[in-house]
Amino acid sequence: MWHFFSKDLGIDLGTVNSIVYVKGEGIVLNEPTTIAINTKTGEIAAIGVEAKKMSGKTPPSIVIKKPLISGVISDFEVAESFFQYFVETVHQKSLFKPFVRPRAVIGVPSNLNEVEAEALKDAAISAGIRDVFLIPETIASALGANLDIMESNGVMVVDMGGGTTDISVISLGGIVIGKTIPIAGETLDNDIIQYIRQEHHLLISQSAAENLKIKLGTVSNKPTNETEISRIRGRDLITGLPQEIIISRADIKNAIMPSILKIVQSIRSIIEQTPPDILSDLLNSSIIFSGGGSLIDGLAMLISKSVNLPVLVVDDPLTAVARGCGAVVEKWDYYKKNLLK
């Protein structure tokens, strides 16, 4: 009987960020997928935004952890803690909080195997979620873009998140052909770290690299101006002392372009393997592009020129997967019956 007081959840448990949609309410939580644990007591010191602020600044007694690597559970207990956090945060004002056991739709990489899927389900159920339905992130993105994925017309979706880039051709509610590659936002952050280390002999943090990517990230060929620079601080690898240098958009482009080209090549390879009848559908539509990577300046245009198809960046691409999971939550019985998992 307590299920009546539970709020069903649509969850995008991302490698970098997690977003939670509540049935009838919309998105209620958007936080980093980061947790700080006190190793002496085993207790959670911080979670989400507060844990990310602590990254790189903690004493030995506190460790920073993430539950996923490339979209796959790497730490069961940390994943369980995150699901508990979602349930408790959503139901924090409920008088029946100790008894609620909501249902949840969770977006996952399309290449998730059976063992990985069961591990994710087990973590969610152990955290108090009574029923779990997994859907591929690309299908969730399509739903988040308000597409009718149950139609026979094929559509291509690219979701470039923090840990993976998911590429799928979808028709009749299922994935006809697709692949998931472990090249995404975190890869680009690491590319920037390595580039600045090699070219400028400066060691910077992951968060500093992420900020540079957001501020200066580009793959465009358009001329840059003098204002498109950023000052960055780190440790000089020659002297070992603090140092500040200036980084330009050209630097960031040089750093990330090799990984970007691998993503573009993966998209091309999926198109080359797409059945002819669906390929004709793609010519009459646009590639749906979602995830944080879609916000990189010039990337949609680069993909479009490389594959000879238009590319459409969805509205609010960072929340597309969560909104798609929310669409399934709103019509749970229909989608659980009709979606091909």
Side-chain angles (χ1 to χ4, degrees):
M1 63 171 291
W2 302 112
H3 300 333
F4 179 79
F5 302 100
S6 297
K7 298 179 179 180
D8 291 342
L9 312 176
I11 300 173
D12 176 11
L13 181 66
T15 304
V16 175
N17 253 52
S18 290
I19 304 173
V20 177
Y21 178 107
V22 174
K23 183 177 181 179
E25 298 181 22
I27 291 172
V28 299
L29 187 149
N30 186 347
E31 294 197 34
T33 315
T34 308
I35 191 169
I37 298 176
N38 188 319
T39 56
K40 292 182 178 179
T41 64
E43 296 178 347
I44 295 174
I47 195 165
V49 173
E50 294 305 315
K52 187 173 183 179
K53 288 179 182 178
M54 297 166 67
S55 184
K57 303 176 182 179
T58 60
S61 59
I62 295 179
V63 295
I64 304 296
K65 291 188 175 184
K66 294 185 175 183
L68 305 180
I69 295 178
S70 297
V72 177
I73 282 187
S74 58
D75 191 312
F76 183 91
E77 291 183 355
V78 172
E80 183 182 344
S81 295
F82 260 95
F83 285 125
Q84 286 175 340
Y85 175 62
F86 298 154
V87 173
E88 291 174 3
T89 300
V90 168
H91 295 90
Q92 61 183 341
K93 295 180 181 179
S94 173
L95 295 175
F96 305 96
K97 180 179 174 180
F99 308 103
V100 296
R101 289 182 61 85
R103 300 180 298 184
V105 175
I106 305 173
V108 297
S110 59
N111 70 334
L112 203 70
N113 64 41
E114 189 173 341
V115 173
E116 293 163 344
E118 287 303 316
L120 188 61
K121 285 184 177 182
D122 289 345
I125 291 169
S126 296
I129 295 173
R130 77 177 191 273
D131 194 3
V132 180
F133 181 38
L134 306 181
I135 66 169
E137 290 169 339
T138 44
I139 286 183
S141 290
L143 290 169
N146 296 317
L147 296 181
D148 185 355
I149 62 168
M150 305 311 297
E151 292 184 348
S152 60
N153 291 331
V155 62
M156 187 172 198
V157 180
V158 177
D159 180 68
M160 183 177 171
T164 61
T165 296
D166 223 348
I167 309 160
S168 299
V169 175
I170 299 168
S171 180
L172 295 171
I175 295 175
V176 178
I177 185 170
K179 74 186 297 185
T180 302
I181 58 174
I183 304 173
E186 281 193 328
T187 311
L188 304 186
D189 296 343
N190 291 329
D191 289 342
I192 292 168
I193 291 171
Q194 291 303 315
Y195 179 87
I196 292 176
R197 184 185 185 116
Q198 293 171 5
E199 298 296 322
H200 300 280
H201 309 292
L202 191 76
L203 180 63
I204 65 171
S205 67
Q206 191 90 19
S207 59
E210 183 183 15
N211 290 334
L212 284 173
K213 177 187 66 181
I214 293 170
K215 184 177 180 181
L216 301 177
T218 185
V219 294
S220 172
N221 290 323
K222 65 184 180 184
T224 59
N225 60 57
E226 294 181 358
T227 63
E228 293 175 318
I229 59 173
S230 182
R231 295 182 180 274
I232 185 70
R233 296 172 180 175
R235 184 170 73 239
D236 190 304
L237 292 171
I238 296 174
T239 67
L241 300 176
Q243 180 65 276
E244 181 180 83
I245 63 171
I246 293 175
I247 294 296
S248 67
R249 283 170 67 88
D251 284 317
I252 302 304
K253 179 180 177 181
N254 290 335
I256 68 177
M257 188 57 84
S259 292
I260 292 294
L261 292 178
K262 291 177 183 177
I263 293 173
V264 173
Q265 183 54 45
S266 293
I267 296 171
R268 285 179 62 98
S269 71
I270 291 299
I271 293 174
E272 290 167 0
Q273 299 172 60
T274 300
D277 288 341
I278 294 181
L279 199 59
S280 65
D281 292 336
L282 300 186
L283 289 168
N284 295 322
S285 61
S286 299
I287 295 174
I288 304 302
F289 197 11
S290 64
S294 67
L295 298 174
I296 294 174
D297 177 51
L299 181 51
M301 182 64 71
L302 175 64
I303 294 171
S304 180
K305 288 182 177 180
S306 300
V307 301
N308 198 31
L309 290 171
V311 176
L312 175 66
V313 177
V314 304
D315 292 337
D316 196 6
L318 291 168
T319 66
V321 171
R323 287 185 282 116
C325 291
V328 177
V329 164
E330 299 289 356
K331 299 175 67 176
W332 178 281
D333 293 333
Y334 170 77
Y335 280 116
K336 191 162 187 180
K337 178 181 177 182
N338 292 287
L339 274 184
L340 300 177
K341 289 174 288 185

